[in-house]
Amino acid sequence: MANSPHIPPTPDERAYAADADAEASDHLPGDGADPIQLFEAWLADAGRAEVNDPNAMVLATVDASGAPNARCLLLKDVDSRGFTFFTNAGSVKGDELAAAPVGALCFHWKSLRRQVRVRGPVGELERADVDAYFATRARASRIGAWASQQSRPLESREALRAEVERFEQEFDGQDVPCPPTWTGYRLAPLEIEFWRDRPYRLHDRLRYDRADLSDAWRFTRLFP
């Protein structure tokens, strides 16, 4: 099979051997560990290693036909309750979450060769929490939230600029409130899987899962 010249070749013995030293120095916790605390530790590592957006993640949802949709966005908070992000409720992902309030997240930190996958139900945040976060955004970003009918057809870039100018004038000299369609969501994890690259594709995969949000976490080590 001919490979695209843009796809790197499969590592050879020499390339794998260069990575083998990391095996002995990087250990992962197992049964009994708190997966949220482990995630926070990995996120902190990513903050020191990644050049851009260590909190970037892929959010997957499903449409009315059951077909998946995935897009990158930014994690804005994480604690024992789950993973928080913000968006326009009238966007495609907002529509899909309203119809099927479940989602999956994927974090990939290339420089660390680590990945975390999360699945669970998704619910909207309290309005006070949404307003509080929105108030921390740059003023131009708050204007943009009013100007953008996210995911809807746009006639031209000029039309978007015109909407931005319209709302700049409307809120001139005023604080910019949160649009009623702009909201926040929290994915409450029922499954969290940690993946760590190892030489020769013998990767570490640690899965934590629970049947209900009130249950204790179960731990399973998976074949790579």
Side-chain angles (χ1 to χ4, degrees):
M1 181 179 68
N3 291 329
S4 166
H6 305 295
I7 296 177
T10 299
D12 57 17
E13 291 286 339
R14 182 182 304 175
Y16 280 129
D19 295 332
D21 290 343
E23 180 100 28
S25 61
D26 184 20
H27 300 287
L28 291 173
D31 197 4
D34 182 334
I36 297 296
Q37 291 182 2
L38 177 55
F39 175 84
E40 290 178 320
W42 277 26
L43 184 60
D45 289 343
R48 292 184 287 269
E50 294 293 339
V51 175
N52 294 308
D53 297 330
N55 58 328
M57 62 185 185
V58 173
L59 167 68
T61 53
V62 294
D63 67 14
S65 71
N69 253 328
R71 74 288 285 166
C72 287
L73 62 161
L74 298 177
L75 176 72
K76 288 301 180 180
D77 194 18
V78 58
D79 57 26
S80 61
R81 297 170 297 173
F83 298 75
T84 297
F85 57 94
F86 296 87
T87 190
N88 189 320
S91 65
V92 168
K93 56 184 171 294
D95 289 344
E96 291 175 351
L97 288 171
V102 293
L105 307 176
C106 183
F107 299 82
H108 178 231
W109 298 301
K110 182 176 176 59
S111 61
L112 297 175
R113 299 183 180 181
R114 296 178 186 176
Q115 174 180 275
V116 178
R117 297 170 55 238
V118 187
R119 296 199 300 166
V122 179
E124 284 198 53
L125 301 182
E126 295 289 337
R127 195 67 211 174
D129 294 330
V130 174
D131 290 342
Y133 171 73
F134 189 80
T136 69
R137 305 182 84 208
R139 182 179 178 85
S141 295
R142 285 180 277 163
I143 292 289
W146 281 92
S148 175
Q149 300 178 37
Q150 196 175 113
S151 301
R152 301 300 183 253
L154 175 64
E155 178 184 346
S156 65
R157 188 73 184 177
E158 289 70 26
L160 177 60
R161 292 194 186 100
E163 283 296 283
V164 170
E165 291 175 3
R166 180 167 75 88
F167 283 105
E168 285 177 339
Q169 293 174 9
E170 180 172 334
F171 295 117
D172 185 34
Q174 307 174 45
D175 190 30
V176 181
C178 184
T181 57
W182 200 88
T183 191
Y185 297 91
R186 180 182 292 115
L187 187 151
L190 292 176
E191 181 180 317
I192 307 177
E193 182 186 313
F194 296 86
W195 177 96
R196 171 65 169 89
D197 177 272
R198 294 299 190 188
Y200 309 106
R201 309 298 193 207
L202 300 177
H203 309 308
D204 280 318
R205 290 179 64 189
L206 308 180
R207 183 178 69 201
Y208 297 84
D209 69 288
R210 54 189 178 179
D212 186 81
L213 296 175
S214 62
D215 293 345
W217 288 104
R218 299 173 296 193
F219 169 76
T220 309
R221 182 177 290 273
L222 304 174
F223 275 101

